[in-house]
């Protein structure tokens, strides 16, 4: 089992300034999943019950001279502390800048080393900053590479998550949504999310004493869409939502408010767009982040980032 590559300048920027800060907020421990074509950072795809997240990059976005081999079709997966990974990258970047050597490059590779005070070799992800006359090495401890069955389970979970909700609505201002969620956290722990095919997103927290909600209307719709019903304009947001659900034009699920708040930390990755949708049969709440090719409004297919929030039993609140 071997992996080594050099980080590209764009790869360093993406990881350091955008994705690793977001991944650390999603959960301290994540899985790195490397294949012959992609590099992925995953949360909770092997269980755990929290927010599932997948950040996937074409290998050429992050690396050059990418070399990987294993007995599992060239696929390698392991767990790592996202904060330690980020710290090592920042340190390697600082060393690279201080070297004032235009040839200095950051190589990353899997190694086995003997930790101090131990008789058994342990796996590490090593950052080696190489210049003309010197090299500085930093080791990040990782888990033992996952077994073939665990890698197959990850791949099956990834394949299953490719099915998109039939209707997605675009939330234009994630900062505004985060502010709203921060206020709702003082009311209760369970959030009801309803999405209508005509572009309405309704959020509501209810307790035995109070019901508080907010509605975003006439959002951009991808997928299955419908025209707003005539004659419903004078109804309350709750009444409109209930009618849309009865007519089959909307879906509603309950999720943990803490889970939604955690998923909103993904805005640290600086996506250009965010879309929300509810999976068929209300299986989960899906959040898809879209990135544009620099200087255009064209989607960058080499990067994908999405979250899946588990739904709660309606009786849990």
């Amino acid at each position: 089992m071997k992996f080594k590559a050099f980080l590209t300048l764009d790869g360093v920027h993406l990881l350091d300034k955008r994705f690793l800060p977001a991944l650390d907020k999603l959960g301290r421990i994540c899985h790195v999943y490397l294949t012959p074509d992609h590099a992925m950072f995953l949360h909770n795809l092997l269980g755990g019950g929290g927010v599932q997240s997948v950040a996937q990059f074409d290998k050429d976005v992050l690396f050059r001279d990418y070399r990987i081999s294993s007995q599992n079709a060239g696929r390698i997966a392991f767990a790592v502390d996202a904060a330690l990974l980020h710290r090592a990258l920042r340190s390697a970047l600082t060393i690279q800048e201080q070297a004032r050597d235009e040839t200095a490059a950051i190589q990353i590779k899997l190694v086995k080393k003997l930790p101090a005070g131990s008789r058994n070799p342990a796996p590490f992800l090593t950052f080696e900053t190489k210049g003309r006359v010197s090299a500085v090495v930093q080791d990040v401890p990782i888990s033992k590479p996952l077994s073939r069955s665990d890698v197959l389970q990850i791949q099956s979970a990834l394949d299953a998550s490719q099915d998109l909700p039939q209707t997605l609505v675009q939330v234009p201002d994630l900062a505004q949504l985060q502010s709203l969620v921060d206020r709702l956290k003082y009311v209760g722990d369970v959030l009801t999310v309803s999405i209508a095919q005509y572009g309405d997103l309704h959020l509501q927290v209810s307790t035995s004493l109070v019901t508080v909600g907010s509605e975003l209307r006439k959002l951009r719709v991808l997928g299955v869409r419908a025209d707003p019903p005539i004659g419903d304009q004078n109804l309350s947001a709750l009444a409109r939502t209930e009618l849309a659900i009865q007519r089959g034009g909307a879906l509603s699920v309950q999720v943990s408010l803490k889970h939604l708040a955690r998923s909103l930390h993904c805005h640290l990755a600086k996506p250009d767009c965010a879309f929300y949708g509810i999976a068929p049969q209300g299986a989960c709440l899906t959040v898809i982040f879209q990135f544009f090719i620099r200087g255009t409004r064209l989607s960058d297919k080499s990067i994908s980032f999405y979250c899946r929030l588990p739904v709660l039993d309606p009786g849990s609140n």
Side-chain angles (χ1 to χ4, degrees):
M1 185 176 294
K2 296 180 180 179
F3 162 70
K4 66 178 180 179
F6 287 94
L7 283 163
T8 65
L9 291 177
D10 283 345
V12 169
H13 176 78
L14 282 170
L15 294 177
D16 177 36
K17 302 297 185 184
R18 300 168 66 175
F19 279 88
L20 285 178
L23 294 171
D24 186 27
K25 291 290 186 179
L26 281 168
R28 188 173 67 87
I29 302 298
C30 69
H31 282 100
V32 176
Y33 180 35
L34 303 168
T35 76
D37 300 312
H38 298 98
M40 287 166 264
F41 298 86
L42 316 171
H43 281 96
N44 294 318
L45 261 72
L46 289 178
V51 177
Q52 289 187 350
S53 74
V54 176
Q56 177 176 295
F57 305 86
D58 286 359
K59 71 177 191 308
D60 295 334
V61 172
L62 299 184
F63 305 111
R64 60 178 175 84
D65 297 334
Y66 184 86
R67 301 180 186 181
I68 187 170
S69 64
S70 76
Q71 295 181 347
N72 191 20
R75 297 179 294 182
I76 300 172
F78 52 86
V80 67
D81 185 312
L84 289 181
L85 187 63
H86 193 196
R87 192 179 308 160
L89 178 61
R90 294 294 299 272
S91 181
L93 185 59
T94 299
I95 293 168
Q96 184 188 50
E97 292 171 346
Q98 291 175 346
R100 296 181 180 179
D101 181 351
E102 67 274 10
T103 67
I106 300 173
Q107 186 181 58
I108 183 170
K109 58 184 177 181
L110 283 176
V111 300
K112 269 192 172 183
K113 291 186 176 182
L114 198 64
S118 174
R119 295 182 178 180
N120 299 314
F124 292 89
L125 191 64
T126 291
F127 289 80
E128 185 173 353
T129 309
K130 293 176 143 184
R132 283 197 188 95
V133 296
S134 65
V136 179
V137 175
Q138 299 172 90
D139 296 324
V140 179
I142 62 172
S143 72
K144 181 180 177 181
L146 299 189
S147 66
R148 180 185 295 270
S149 61
D150 284 341
V151 170
L152 288 175
Q153 185 178 341
I154 284 178
Q155 189 59 55
S156 296
L158 285 169
D159 294 340
S161 68
Q162 298 304 308
D163 293 333
L164 296 176
Q166 290 185 321
T167 298
L168 292 164
V169 295
Q170 181 182 347
V171 176
D173 191 339
L174 288 179
Q176 179 186 4
L177 181 58
Q178 186 165 31
S179 177
L180 169 63
V181 169
D182 287 342
R183 294 196 300 271
L184 292 176
K185 284 192 294 187
Y186 294 103
V187 180
D189 298 324
V190 177
L191 180 72
T192 300
V193 181
S194 305
I195 297 176
Q197 293 175 354
Y198 46 83
D200 286 3
L201 171 64
H202 187 249
L203 308 174
Q204 179 181 296
V205 176
S206 298
T207 69
S208 58
L209 299 177
V210 66
T211 295
V212 179
S214 183
E215 185 182 41
L216 302 176
R217 303 197 64 190
K218 299 179 180 179
L219 301 174
R220 179 188 176 198
V221 176
L222 295 182
V224 177
R225 61 171 300 141
D227 294 327
I230 299 174
D232 290 357
Q233 289 84 353
N234 296 325
L235 297 177
S236 68
L238 182 57
R240 277 198 317 276
T241 299
E242 290 175 347
L243 276 175
I245 293 172
Q246 292 170 12
R247 295 166 177 166
L251 289 175
S252 181
V253 292
Q254 290 185 336
V255 299
S256 163
L257 199 54
K258 290 181 180 178
H259 283 168
L260 183 60
R262 178 166 291 180
S263 72
L264 286 170
H265 289 303
C266 292
H267 80 274
L268 293 171
K270 302 176 184 176
D272 294 292
C273 295
F275 295 89
Y276 283 69
I278 296 173
Q281 287 79 51
C284 66
L285 176 65
T286 300
V287 189
I288 298 173
F289 301 97
Q290 186 179 30
F291 299 84
F292 294 152
I293 297 172
R294 192 178 304 167
T296 76
R297 299 286 293 179
L298 300 175
S299 179
D300 188 345
K301 302 296 186 182
S302 66
I303 302 173
S304 69
F305 193 20
Y306 61 88
C307 296
R308 290 157 55 95
L309 281 65
V311 299
L312 305 175
D313 186 303
S316 63
N317 61 337

